[in-house]
Amino acid sequence: PMNCPGHILVYASEIRSYNDLPLRFFELGTVYRYEKSGVLHGLLRVRGFTQDDAHIFCMKEQLLDEITGIIDFVKSAMNDFGFTEYEYTLSTRPSKFIGDIKDWEDAEGILKKALKKQTRGFNIGEGEGAFYGPKIDIKIKDAIGRPWQCATIQCDFALPERFNLNFVGSDGKKHRPVMLHRVILGSLERFMGVLLEHYNFALPVWLSPVQVEILPITSRVHNYALKIKEKLEQNIRAEIDLSNETLSYKIRKTQREKIPYMCIIGDKEREENKVAIRKRDSQKTELKDIEDFNIIHDDIWYNVYGDPLKLIRKHDSKLDFLLTGSNMYYRSASEADMATCSKLWFWGYNIDEIASIMHKFRYRDKFDRSEYLGRTIAKVITGDRVSKSLLYDPDEEEETKSLLSNVSN
């Protein structure tokens, strides 16, 4: 049961009411398993690992919402890391199990209903469930199609019975809760190994431990290079190579280390107060003014949240919203407008262009919202609130594509 007994004891430490449920406990728990030496395999198979372990205590009628919410959570998290293909398996009762068969059947039925609601299809793993309950295993596929087991959702009626857990219902009587075991990333060590395999060690900018390597050509520019490093480190992970090696050697070393950006500095760059930027997979350098150093910020945003001009895609849900980047929902129209303005401002559109896009795209000039729009843009510019996703109306998809394309041109 891994960390399960600890969370069970926390639940049992006080009287619980139906108003307290669902009750969710989470921890980054370190656990150990004495694997045979022959099966140990780098980060992918270790004897000690840390997992994002959580347990949810809820009423039976809350199970479906909780399970579908976890599946949404998994998809959202994996999308952020760049995984878009999933394989779902419902693992059923094994030959050796604890608990009542009726509870097992109920649990399997709820998990199957959640999968039918949230996915386009799933496999059945007969007899592959945990000894205390059936489970959903979610495998992600890497860049070359290999499946990796990460997330799991286990529905458990047995342990609450074994540990005599209860809550006081609306009728004033004691009732038995149901326990959900879940991990999203699973073993953090293993997930890091999967990420490295998926990206062939060339991690996206936002994930890279070092995002920029500063490469001074000569010792004459070391002081200037150190100033550049100090400026970048305000919001970028940067390192500097002050060795006496040749520039070509430094570039090769940086490329081998898969660092996303090189910042090359020589006498010319120092005199002009500029930096020469080169990507790890490019032969081209771009001279940039240090005061207008946005290329790396733009790349980080692009990797995490997507380009609003190119990555318009349909979100797989009943809402049929068109989203870019991470899956987020908005509680109100004003929240969606803030997201739109934030994204456009970040990508370099000026106030007039944002106003034009908002009027044509969101409002279609059917009514005047100039004052409201002005306040929204002002909040974005002053940093009052910057949202990280962009909402589109599906009925206006083609108009939006055309409009943004014209603006960008």
Side-chain angles (χ1 to χ4, degrees), residues 210-398:
V210 179
Q211 296 169 321
V212 181
E213 183 81 5
I214 302 170
L215 307 177
I217 297 174
T218 171
S219 60
R220 293 190 299 273
V221 297
H222 279 186
N223 288 338
Y224 178 67
L226 289 169
K227 290 179 181 179
I228 297 298
K229 180 175 183 287
E230 183 179 354
K231 186 174 184 66
L232 291 179
E233 283 183 330
Q234 294 174 10
N235 49 24
I236 292 174
R237 296 186 292 275
E239 290 188 353
I240 187 169
D241 185 348
L242 297 177
S243 69
N244 292 324
E245 301 291 346
T246 63
L247 178 62
S248 59
Y249 174 86
K250 292 181 180 180
I251 290 174
R252 288 197 306 272
K253 177 175 176 289
T254 304
Q255 288 177 327
R256 284 198 304 270
E257 294 174 353
K258 308 286 188 177
I259 297 173
Y261 282 97
M262 288 166 273
C263 184
I264 302 170
I265 299 173
D267 291 327
K268 179 182 177 182
E269 286 76 19
R270 181 189 60 180
E271 291 168 4
E272 297 182 10
N273 197 34
K274 294 182 182 293
V275 290
I277 302 298
R278 176 172 170 172
K279 293 186 177 182
R280 64 186 162 201
D281 55 356
S282 173
Q283 300 285 331
K284 179 183 176 182
T285 59
E286 183 178 359
L287 202 62
K288 299 287 291 185
D289 191 323
I290 191 60
E291 298 302 327
D292 186 32
F293 194 70
N294 292 323
I295 182 172
I296 297 175
H297 299 84
D298 289 354
D299 202 355
I300 293 171
W301 185 281
Y302 176 89
N303 273 276
V304 182
Y305 303 111
D307 182 346
L309 303 181
K310 298 178 181 177
L311 298 182
I312 299 174
R313 63 178 175 80
K314 193 171 185 179
H315 180 246
D316 183 22
S317 76
K318 292 182 179 179
L319 298 176
D320 277 342
F321 285 149
L322 286 173
L323 299 172
T324 59
S326 59
N327 300 327
M328 298 179 69
Y329 299 104
Y330 298 103
R331 293 186 293 272
S332 64
S334 62
E335 192 170 334
D337 295 340
M338 183 69 69
T340 306
C341 288
S342 301
K343 200 73 168 283
L344 295 172
W345 175 257
F346 183 91
W347 280 92
Y349 294 104
N350 61 39
I351 295 175
D352 292 335
E353 289 171 330
I354 294 175
S356 174
I357 290 172
M358 293 295 287
H359 274 294
K360 291 179 182 178
F361 161 53
R362 291 289 291 177
Y363 307 120
R364 289 187 164 187
D365 294 324
K366 289 181 179 178
F367 50 90
D368 184 15
R369 297 290 296 278
S370 298
E371 183 181 349
Y372 160 76
L373 181 58
R375 291 199 306 270
T376 301
I377 295 174
K379 289 180 180 180
V380 173
I381 294 172
T382 58
D384 180 65
R385 184 177 180 189
V386 178
S387 185
K388 296 179 178 177
S389 189
L390 177 59
L391 177 66
Y392 287 103
D393 185 332
D395 295 330
E396 298 174 356
E397 178 183 2
E398 294 304 319

Side-chain angles (χ1 to χ4, degrees), residues 75-272:
K75 290 193 286 189
S76 176
M78 295 306 170
N79 282 344
D80 286 344
F81 283 107
F83 298 100
T84 56
E85 293 188 56
Y86 314 99
E87 184 179 298
Y88 301 90
T89 300
L90 173 59
S91 300
T92 60
R93 186 176 72 249
S95 57
K96 295 182 179 180
F97 64 93
I98 61 174
D100 185 72
I101 290 182
K102 176 64 167 59
D103 289 338
W104 275 85
E105 291 173 348
D106 290 345
E108 289 174 7
I110 293 170
L111 291 175
K112 186 176 293 185
K113 189 174 181 180
L115 284 169
K116 287 180 177 179
K117 182 179 179 180
Q118 295 295 100
T119 72
R120 295 193 178 105
F122 57 92
N123 303 315
I124 300 293
E126 293 290 350
E128 295 179 4
F131 71 91
Y132 48 81
K135 61 179 180 174
I136 295 172
D137 290 323
I138 304 175
K139 294 182 180 180
I140 56 177
K141 291 186 177 181
D142 64 18
I144 60 175
R146 293 172 299 183
W148 299 92
Q149 170 67 51
C150 288
T152 186
I153 308 165
Q154 301 170 353
C155 187
D156 182 1
F157 284 80
L159 289 186
E161 184 74 30
R162 288 286 182 100
F163 283 86
N164 195 29
L165 302 181
N166 56 65
F167 66 91
V168 179
S170 58
D171 57 1
K173 298 180 180 179
K174 290 184 177 181
H175 299 269
R176 191 78 68 203
V178 184
M179 185 177 180
L180 288 174
H181 310 245
R182 75 104 178 116
V183 294
I184 304 299
L185 305 181
S187 161
L188 301 187
E189 291 81 358
R190 188 165 184 265
F191 188 74
M192 284 189 282
V194 172
L195 275 175
L196 293 173
E197 290 283 334
H198 181 58
Y199 288 107
N200 193 24
F201 290 85
L203 294 172
V205 184
W206 71 280
L207 274 175
S208 296
V210 179
Q211 296 169 321
V212 181
E213 183 81 5
I214 302 170
L215 307 177
I217 297 174
T218 171
S219 60
R220 293 190 299 273
V221 297
H222 279 186
N223 288 338
Y224 178 67
L226 289 169
K227 290 179 181 179
I228 297 298
K229 180 175 183 287
E230 183 179 354
K231 186 174 184 66
L232 291 179
E233 283 183 330
Q234 294 174 10
N235 49 24
I236 292 174
R237 296 186 292 275
E239 290 188 353
I240 187 169
D241 185 348
L242 297 177
S243 69
N244 292 324
E245 301 291 346
T246 63
L247 178 62
S248 59
Y249 174 86
K250 292 181 180 180
I251 290 174
R252 288 197 306 272
K253 177 175 176 289
T254 304
Q255 288 177 327
R256 284 198 304 270
E257 294 174 353
K258 308 286 188 177
I259 297 173
Y261 282 97
M262 288 166 273
C263 184
I264 302 170
I265 299 173
D267 291 327
K268 179 182 177 182
E269 286 76 19
R270 181 189 60 180
E271 291 168 4
E272 297 182 10

Side-chain angles (χ1 to χ4, degrees), residues 22 24 56 58 62-71 153 180:
R24 307 179 183 98
I56 302 171
C58 63
Q62 295 172 325
L63 272 174
L64 183 60
D65 286 342
E66 290 298 310
I67 294 167
T68 55
I70 295 170
I71 294 174
I153 308 165
L180 288 174

